[in-house]
Amino acid sequence: RYAEQIAEHLRERRDLVARGVRENITVFWDFQDTDLPETYKMRPLAAMDRFMRWLAGVMDATVTRLEAVEFTRYSTTSQHSYNGGKLNYFNTMRQFGAVVHRAWPPMTDAEDAIIFERFRHHLDIMQNDGPQSMICVVSRSTGYTSMIEAAQSEGVTVIQVGRDGRAYYYPGGYDFSVPMQFPRWLLVTRDL
């Protein structure tokens, strides 16, 4: 059953591409949970660009929006670490054109709650005749599964990319996901 359904879904996607319709991708990145490893042979902006191009290639669509959450106080990476040479990828995301939501603790919401809210807001926009897009959640947390499945049931195609070399493709309008293997996370920025 699943093989027939995924074949039908992929055929529909190929037909869209053949007609010149290139879908958009909105990426929600839980960067505190799933960061992009530092690669010393590549500048941070180039590494981010390469990852986004890889993602666009996997989904055969264009990444048009990237959102993440940064805690500005008491974060897991201290300012001292950044002064010592550690890369601040939130700055790189801003240079890339991403929306980085800033949160100031103490607060009861962690970055996942903010991502949930932004994800819900994005679905509301699409439901109210806004621009349609696929959604990508970059996180190794399983806490986003119910949100992803709810979007899938509304006809939105979602992919969840984790750090351990696994991703899950949730075809819009269906009730299953397809596991995907990709090169180890450390190699994603180098071996494409």
Side-chain angles (χ1 to χ4, degrees):
R1 167 190 132 177
Y2 297 127
E4 294 171 9
Q5 289 179 335
I6 195 68
E8 177 186 340
H9 172 75
L10 293 175
R11 192 170 32 258
E12 291 169 1
R13 296 278 323 280
R14 278 193 300 274
D15 290 345
L16 282 175
V17 172
R19 288 186 310 211
V21 177
R22 186 134 170 114
E23 294 180 274
N24 297 327
I25 306 170
T26 299
V27 178
F28 296 96
W29 197 325
D30 186 352
F31 204 79
Q32 300 282 42
D33 180 54
T34 310
D35 62 346
L36 190 63
E38 294 181 25
T39 55
Y40 296 104
K41 295 180 182 177
M42 186 176 289
R43 303 209 36 91
L45 200 55
M48 184 71 64
D49 179 58
R50 176 145 303 175
F51 179 75
M52 290 299 141
R53 284 189 288 123
W54 172 83
L55 182 60
V58 167
M59 296 184 78
D60 200 15
T62 305
V63 176
T64 56
R65 187 169 182 86
L66 169 62
E67 295 192 28
V69 178
E70 174 186 22
F71 280 100
T72 57
R73 216 171 147 207
Y74 310 119
S75 67
T76 55
T77 305
S78 66
Q79 186 61 41
H80 180 71
S81 296
Y82 292 135
N83 293 342
K86 181 172 176 59
L87 295 175
N88 185 344
Y89 268 106
F90 292 112
N91 287 341
T92 302
M93 287 181 173
R94 288 184 186 95
Q95 292 169 355
F96 197 73
V99 176
V100 179
H101 304 280
R102 299 181 85 189
W104 287 269
M107 58 188 290
T108 58
D109 295 338
E111 59 270 349
D112 56 346
I114 296 169
I115 290 174
F116 272 116
E117 176 60 30
R118 295 300 304 154
F119 193 99
R120 185 195 58 76
H121 177 71
H122 190 72
L123 290 176
D124 289 345
I125 289 172
M126 287 193 296
Q127 191 160 23
N128 293 327
D129 297 326
Q132 300 297 307
S133 68
M134 292 185 280
I135 294 178
C136 176
V137 176
V138 181
S139 176
R140 63 181 171 187
S141 171
T142 58
Y144 297 104
T145 305
S146 60
M147 175 181 71
I148 290 169
E149 290 173 349
Q152 179 188 26
S153 70
E154 292 181 22
V156 178
T157 297
V158 182
I159 186 170
Q160 181 176 14
V161 179
R163 184 177 185 156
D164 53 357
R166 284 182 278 182
Y168 295 91
Y169 184 84
Y170 295 82
Y174 294 95
D175 62 350
F176 63 91
S177 64
V178 178
M180 299 167 40
Q181 291 288 81
F182 65 90
R184 288 192 336 257
W185 187 261
L186 287 171
L187 303 177
V188 167
T189 58
R190 288 184 260 160
D191 289 346
L192 300 177

